[in-house]
Amino acid sequence: MKISEIIKKKKTFSFEFFPPKEESQNESFAKNLKDLIPLKPDFVSVTDTGYSAAKYKHLALSMLLKEKAGFDVILHLTCLNSTKREIGTVLEKAKAAGIENILALRGDPDPNREILPGDFSYASDLIKEINLSHFCAGAAAHPEKHPLSASLNEDMSILKMKADLGVSFFITQLFFDNSVFFRLRDDLAKNNIFVPLIAGIMPLASPLSLLKIEEKTGKISKPKALIEIMEKYSQDKESFFKASVEFSINQCEELLSKGTNALHFFTFNKAKAVKEILGAIK
Ligand code: FAD
């Protein structure tokens, strides 16, 4: 089913997965997936990587999640370093597998790898390659500005371009301070962009995991409550996890109470935190 149809429901909860990097991680992935299936997400998404053999792992995992777990799937598709022919092949395979949703992304250059010549510079170039009469396409939105953008206004003009090209939903980059999400939601409306906005939620596993993420996303605002958790429990994994889940529950409750009906959880292939959060808010 297309995401544009699914998100007409009153509330949706969805999960993001990534293909396990090593074979040794498959068992843990299967176990966590088994724990997440009973939560009946409204849809799931599978991340992409721009490089070599790994590129097609996400297509294989998407097909598995669709066929074996019965999920509606969004296939993330990055375009940096890709040729039109390569992208065309992935889209053909996705269509043949019955996948109806694509999250069209630029991707990030990997500093440890050579940049290969490709046909795409931006996500908008990719959106133009997607047959929107078959696929429902979405795009990324960055509530705190993409690190390469000069301003929030520049980001807004890119979102307008993506909306005009026909995307049917935006999923946000993770955020912890709900005010940045509400600002983005208001700014979209002020600019007459009425594409549904899905909130990207990440339960924080450890203070260190955030440092790594911020290398890519740029600085993410942290409310005082989260800073206190990070300081107080920096050496106590179990207490940190408990407090972090509590923080996410409060974050989601505020979003839901203020009219945000679509929450997308960056699960990092782990079930425990999402299970506890959904247990509290669903
Ligand atoms: P773009 O929309 O192309 O924007 C990138 C930069 O270029 C911005 O500064 C923008 O302002 C500027 N720009 C865009 N279009 C133009 C234009 N036409 N002219 C001039 N400037 C322009 N990465 C992965 O590798 N794999 C994933 O699976 C993945 N999933 C993600 C899921 C979500 C929900 C989000 C929010 C991000 C995800 N990312 C993923 C990360 C994403 O690839 C990076 O954030 C990337 O740096 C930007 O992607 P984008 O699609 O927003 O890029």
Side-chain angles (χ1 to χ4, degrees), residues 16 46-49 76 78 103-108 121-124 140-142 146 148-149 154-155 158 161-162 171-173 266:
E16 179 185 288
V46 180
T47 65
D48 185 18
T49 152
H76 293 209
T78 62
L103 186 66
L105 300 152
R106 188 195 67 156
D108 282 316
S121 302
Y122 302 110
S124 50
H142 305 270
H146 186 274
L148 294 178
S149 298
E154 181 186 323
D155 263 10
I158 301 301
M161 184 194 302
K162 291 175 178 178
I171 305 182
T172 72
Q173 188 55 276
F266 302 123

Side-chain angles (χ1 to χ4, degrees), residues 13-18 36 43 45-47 74 76 103 105 139-143 170-176 198-205 209 213 217 220 248 251-252 263-274 277:
F13 301 100
S14 50
F15 304 154
E16 179 185 288
F17 296 106
F18 63 84
L36 286 169
F43 58 90
S45 79
V46 180
T47 65
I74 303 178
H76 293 209
L103 186 66
L105 300 152
H142 305 270
F170 292 124
I171 305 182
T172 72
Q173 188 55 276
L174 68 104
F175 62 94
F176 299 109
I198 300 173
I201 305 294
M202 194 186 83
L204 200 52
S209 59
I213 290 166
T217 58
I220 302 170
S248 296
Q251 184 187 5
C252 293
L263 303 183
H264 189 62
F265 291 91
F266 302 123
T267 67
F268 281 75
N269 293 352
K270 298 279 182 239
K272 195 163 183 264
V274 177
I277 297 165

Side-chain angles (χ1 to χ4, degrees), residues 29-213:
F29 179 82
K31 188 180 169 305
N32 280 281
L33 179 61
K34 219 167 144 191
D35 282 352
L36 286 169
I37 288 174
L39 299 177
K40 296 190 168 58
D42 292 282
F43 58 90
V44 300
S45 79
V46 180
T47 65
D48 185 18
T49 152
Y51 293 95
S52 62
K55 181 97 185 148
Y56 290 95
K57 271 192 182 176
H58 78 309
L59 188 55
L61 179 60
S62 301
M63 285 153 77
L64 186 105
L65 290 172
K66 186 175 175 342
E67 282 161 27
K68 302 282 182 221
F71 291 145
D72 285 299
V73 175
I74 303 178
L75 183 78
H76 293 209
L77 192 56
T78 62
C79 60
L80 215 57
N81 302 319
S82 295
T83 60
K84 283 190 180 178
R85 195 169 164 181
E86 285 164 339
I87 292 292
T89 305
V90 179
L91 289 170
E92 263 171 41
K93 285 182 191 289
K95 187 176 175 186
I99 290 167
E100 294 178 274
N101 305 291
I102 304 285
L103 186 66
L105 300 152
R106 188 195 67 156
D108 282 316
D110 182 336
N112 301 316
R113 296 192 197 233
E114 180 195 357
I115 295 188
L116 304 168
D119 290 337
F120 302 89
S121 302
Y122 302 110
S124 50
D125 303 331
L126 173 60
I127 297 165
K128 289 176 199 159
E129 287 299 303
I130 299 174
N131 176 357
L132 297 179
S133 59
H134 175 76
F135 290 110
C136 171
H142 305 270
E144 303 196 53
K145 186 178 88 54
H146 186 274
L148 294 178
S149 298
S151 64
L152 285 169
N153 280 345
E154 181 186 323
D155 263 10
M156 192 50 59
S157 65
I158 301 301
L159 291 175
K160 174 93 178 105
M161 184 194 302
K162 291 175 178 178
D164 290 344
L165 285 170
V167 298
S168 300
F169 60 95
F170 292 124
I171 305 182
T172 72
Q173 188 55 276
L174 68 104
F175 62 94
F176 299 109
D177 177 352
N178 285 346
S179 69
V180 301
F181 177 87
F182 295 132
R183 176 182 64 199
L184 173 62
R185 189 176 68 178
D186 293 348
D187 286 350
L188 285 167
K190 275 184 213 154
N191 285 278
N192 296 316
I193 304 169
F194 298 108
V195 173
L197 185 63
I198 300 173
I201 305 294
M202 194 186 83
L204 200 52
S206 75
L208 266 183
S209 59
L210 186 56
L211 284 178
K212 274 197 200 150
I213 290 166

